[in-house]
Amino acid sequence: MQCASIFYPHTHKLWCFKPNLCITPPPQEEEGTFNVEKSKLITSVSNPFVKHCLKLRNSSSYRRSYASAIVVGATPIREICRFRESLQDGSVLMDCLILPDKADIPDGLDKSTASIVRASSVVMRKLSGLQTTDSLDAIALIKIPASFSNVDCDQKNFQKLFPSAHRILVLDGIQDPGNLGTLLRSAVAFRWDGVFLLPGCCDPFNEKALRASRGASFQLPVVSGSWNHVETLKEEFQMKLLAGHPEHEGLIKPVSLLSPSFCDSLSETPLCLVLGSEGSGLSKKPLQSCELVSIAMAGEYESLNVSVAGGIFLYMLQPKNL
């Protein structure tokens, strides 16, 4: 029986797909090695493959050890595949496509070379975390791209991490995965060049972040590191540092107003935009180092939800004619 294997160089772990057999681990398999075989139908949530998928969904460290994430829904899966195929780098993108029993392969995914596994509605619901699977058409195991990375302590050259750095979004302690995913989605929509995650941000491949981002986590460079790395990035690309911050009494520095004229004045200037969490706001170093910019609002509202405010900033400051 021939076996199509997928090897994970990060961990020396192996997935092996064999046609027309039940999905069970082989006897006396070595620790850290998995043998997952294509099946007509998986019906048990206790299946080893299902347990592996659940760990990918629930554990950030497990996702990173396998360099793989669970993506729910044919639409974001298609968007990710379309984008990654446009890069034409020859890398394997999707390891496995999980479909409801007897369902057709969704349009746009029918030419995928990924192994296809069928699952019962109980298993599909368990894997997706959704209460109902009536509209659930696909789940995929997709490799986390090389564009997602942690900056080394001695990182000096950001050219490899951000091939283009005219507009970089810097997120400071964004812990809510829905907000982070929405900001990533807006960054892709408005043609920003990448996202830098400061300490305290949640995992962009968290299931809720992926749901909110609709696959944007796979479509632009996402780099995590410290504020010192942002300073290095600023120096390397001669970038201006802006930070979204509401204007209020007690600030020791002026706050500029986000306006068309303000944005036009920066159209050719490379910049980093820093957004802080709703609860804690900006941390000390960004607050000291950045020019503060606020969004004019009617009434007595002090601030907007960070994903809403971020969408406005990203739209207003998006690159022009580049």
Side-chain angles (χ1 to χ4, degrees), residues 127-183:
L127 292 178
S128 67
L130 302 176
Q131 294 299 316
T132 176
T133 59
D134 291 345
S135 60
L136 179 58
D137 46 9
I139 298 172
L141 274 68
I142 298 183
K143 286 186 177 298
I144 294 174
S147 56
F148 174 67
S149 60
N150 292 301
V151 181
D152 296 329
C153 294
D154 299 326
Q155 180 73 36
K156 300 296 183 182
N157 183 2
F158 282 86
Q159 289 283 352
K160 292 183 179 179
L161 300 179
F162 295 112
S164 175
H166 186 69
R167 291 287 186 271
I168 300 296
L169 174 63
V170 180
L171 300 180
D172 182 12
I174 305 296
Q175 298 179 346
D176 183 275
N179 284 336
L180 188 138
T182 302
L183 287 165

Side-chain angles (χ1 to χ4, degrees), residues 11 23 27 32 39 46 48 50 52 69 83 103 105 117 120 125 134 153 174 176 178 205 224 261 289 300-301:
T11 57
I23 298 185
S39 170
S46 298
V50 174
H52 167 72
F83 173 78
I105 300 176
V117 171
S120 68
R125 184 165 59 250
D134 291 345
C153 294
I174 305 296
D176 183 275
F205 297 95
S224 60
S261 60
S289 305
E300 298 179 356
Y301 287 100

Side-chain angles (χ1 to χ4, degrees), residues 179-212:
N179 284 336
L180 188 138
T182 302
L183 287 165
L184 291 174
R185 187 176 179 182
S186 298
V188 170
F190 300 127
R191 299 177 299 143
W192 283 56
D193 300 309
V195 175
F196 195 99
L197 304 179
L198 290 170
C201 288
C202 68
D203 185 349
F205 297 95
N206 170 294
E207 63 168 318
K208 293 181 180 179
L210 283 176
R211 194 172 300 150

Side-chain angles (χ1 to χ4, degrees), residues 55-65 68 144 203:
K55 286 183 180 181
L56 288 178
R57 201 188 89 195
N58 297 321
S59 171
S60 176
S61 60
Y62 195 82
R63 282 191 294 272
R64 295 193 185 199
S65 70
S68 185
I144 294 174
D203 185 349

